[in-house]
Amino acid sequence: MIRIILDAMGGDNAPRAIIEGALLALREYEDISICMVGKKEVIAEHLRGQEYDPERIDVVDAREEIEMAEPPVNAIRTKKDSSMVVGMNLVAEGKGDVFLTAGSTGATVAGATLIIRRAKGVERPALTPVLPTAEGGMLLVDCGANVDCKPSQLRQFGIMGSIYMRTVMGVENPRVGLINNGAEEEKGNAQTKKAFGLLKDTDINFVGNVEGR
């Protein structure tokens, strides 16, 4: 059973939309349980009258919320009783397998780094949306959390992206490209040229530079 820790108060139309989505997920996937974090009485009101398995839903009280416009690091450090911080601490303490939120992206990245921590050896976290394509989906690593990256970090993004596409999206041998200002190997600045060599020296399916089209 995968135990999902869910920020019930984060995101647009929360908590109603978040709770509705959680109930849909419980109906579709039999191998998950969900722990909703937020104001207990508010969550209880939205659950009233709904059909669900009470053995697979838990609620943990959190009295504060992190707003979208708040400075991310400061919000994580000062709002200890926010649904986001309480939820991330549950994962950090081993009481959940994954934390989900539709709240502040900046606070999510900051909290994941400060509270849950990075996996051993990972230099930086990265935002990785799956973009729709004519043949399914393409993972973009990184889509904006990091302004300047070292070549070694770009190499790690390529490896992590390849693992994600293989294990989560079911792509048998995902192709990995390095976004650049041209497809030729010699294109790019010192950063991308160094990253190209590092990616080429891995066992992933690195296809070289790709233009952002």
Side-chain angles (χ1 to χ4, degrees):
M1 186 72 73
I2 300 169
R3 183 166 169 78
I4 297 170
I5 309 298
L6 179 65
D7 175 9
M9 312 306 289
D12 297 335
N13 300 315
R16 179 184 56 79
I18 308 301
I19 294 171
E20 287 177 0
L23 296 176
L24 285 172
L26 286 171
R27 295 185 194 111
E28 185 167 345
Y29 301 100
E30 296 181 354
D31 60 345
I32 66 171
S33 66
I34 297 178
C35 173
M36 300 184 187
V37 184
K39 295 178 181 176
K40 258 190 172 181
E41 70 280 7
V42 175
I43 295 173
E45 178 63 30
H46 284 276
L47 286 175
R48 188 172 291 116
Q50 300 285 347
E51 289 187 15
Y52 61 90
D53 180 358
E55 296 295 320
R56 295 170 62 203
I57 279 192
D58 189 20
V59 178
V60 171
D61 193 45
R63 308 310 300 176
E64 297 179 295
E65 299 172 32
I66 293 178
E67 304 296 335
M68 292 292 189
E70 290 187 71
V73 175
N74 184 63
I76 291 295
R77 286 177 172 163
T78 59
K79 289 191 168 181
K80 302 295 186 184
D81 198 29
S82 64
S83 53
M84 186 176 290
V85 172
V86 172
M88 288 188 177
N89 275 317
L90 289 172
V91 175
E93 294 163 6
K95 297 175 182 177
D97 299 303
V98 61
F99 175 75
L100 296 182
T101 181
S104 165
T105 302
T108 303
V109 174
T113 305
L114 295 171
I115 299 171
I116 298 176
R117 307 284 183 180
R118 291 163 289 170
K120 185 178 180 180
V122 174
E123 296 179 29
R124 276 192 184 180
L127 296 178
T128 56
V130 178
L131 306 178
T133 69
E135 299 177 354
M138 174 186 71
L139 196 71
L140 178 62
V141 192
D142 167 81
C143 79
N146 301 298
V147 179
D148 295 306
C149 294
K150 298 177 182 177
S152 61
Q153 292 162 352
L154 294 177
R155 173 183 177 274
Q156 287 194 349
F157 291 171
I159 294 171
M160 291 190 291
S162 178
I163 293 170
Y164 185 91
M165 289 301 285
R166 188 175 71 250
T167 59
V168 178
M169 302 300 291
V171 180
E172 186 174 339
N173 187 29
R175 294 176 297 147
V176 177
L178 178 63
I179 294 181
N180 213 328
N181 63 342
E184 298 83 1
E185 184 171 346
E186 66 275 7
K187 286 290 182 72
N189 56 19
Q191 175 203 41
T192 54
K193 288 179 181 178
K194 176 69 173 177
F196 187 102
L198 293 175
L199 285 161
K200 197 174 181 179
D201 197 32
T202 65
D203 58 1
I204 62 176
N205 184 17
F206 179 56
V207 298
N209 291 326
V210 294
E211 294 186 70
R213 292 184 288 177

